[in-house]
Amino acid sequence: MAVGLFLLCPRAGATELSGAELHVVREGATADCPDADELARRIRALWMAPAATAPMQVDVRFARSATGYDAELHATGARSGTRHLSTTAATCASLSEAVTVALALLLDLEPLPEPAREPPPEPPAAPPAVAIAHPLRPLPPFDLALSASLGFGLGVLGADPVGMGSASVLGRRGHFAAEAQAFFVAPRTFDYDPGYVKVGLWGGALNACYRT
């Protein structure tokens, strides 16, 4: 009776995983490889069991080789078979990930759905463009400007230089403007027997305009 009770108990170190009994053996210097509980935790974090699963027994054996790490997966029950995995990496990390995926596929597990992601917030709407009107500067009712200039010219009256001058008056009212200009050349005296001739030059101009 005692022997029968012993045979019905699960093996030491076994972990229940989606209807299957998972047992892991780590031989030699493979302490950095996961045990049965760690493998089950990794699988439950990323995979979920289908609606119905058939009982299975899976044995995983980790061992060191001359080039790296080896893993052997042996399944009995609803599915049976053996699969070998190996790596030349310096640690058991990459082999542990490969064993996790192989176990999930062997047990017909399905990936957990990704959590729904909130859509990114919409950028704030740009403020409507506002046309800035530049007000027209009011025209002055009336203004007056005066100007004068002095200089000299050559070849105007003879070969010698002569003095020249000009003056102007500018008046503006609203959109209208008018300017009066006057200029002169200092007179010169030329001797002509039996007398002389005095010559000068005067002139003027009147301009008008309309501004919009």
Side-chain angles (χ1 to χ4, degrees):
M1 185 64 178
V3 174
L5 290 176
F6 176 77
L7 294 176
L8 292 176
C9 293
R11 296 181 301 163
T15 299
E16 193 73 19
L17 178 63
S18 300
E21 183 181 313
L22 177 63
H23 184 77
V24 175
V25 175
R26 297 183 291 182
E27 297 180 356
T30 59
D32 58 333
C33 296
D35 57 10
D37 292 336
E38 176 62 18
L39 277 178
R41 185 193 66 79
R42 294 186 180 188
I43 293 174
R44 295 189 186 103
L46 300 174
W47 306 78
M48 64 180 180
T53 57
M56 294 178 58
Q57 179 176 304
V58 182
D59 294 298
V60 180
R61 183 181 65 86
F62 290 103
R64 291 298 299 266
S65 66
T67 57
Y69 289 79
D70 291 333
E72 180 182 277
L73 283 71
H74 180 70
T76 57
R79 288 187 178 182
S80 60
T82 302
R83 183 172 183 182
H84 294 272
L85 301 172
S86 63
T87 180
T88 57
T91 67
C92 193
S94 59
L95 183 61
S96 302
E97 295 180 2
V99 170
T100 302
V101 175
L103 286 174
L105 298 176
L106 178 65
L107 299 176
D108 282 335
L109 303 184
E110 299 176 358
L112 290 173
E114 294 185 1
R117 298 181 180 179
E118 296 183 0
E122 296 183 359
V130 178
I132 301 177
H134 296 280
L136 297 176
R137 292 189 302 172
L139 296 175
F142 179 77
D143 60 354
L144 187 66
L146 303 174
S147 66
S149 62
L150 295 175
F152 67 91
L154 295 175
V156 180
L157 297 176
D160 296 332
V162 293
M164 302 177 63
S166 66
S168 65
V169 178
L170 174 65
R172 292 186 298 183
R173 182 179 180 85
H175 293 277
F176 295 92
E179 181 181 20
Q181 296 177 322
F183 64 91
F184 70 94
V185 177
R188 289 192 61 189
T189 301
F190 297 93
D191 295 327
Y192 285 96
D193 294 334
Y196 65 91
V197 177
K198 190 173 185 179
V199 181
L201 182 64
W202 297 81
L206 180 63
N207 301 319
C209 66
Y210 174 81
R211 295 187 300 166
T212 59

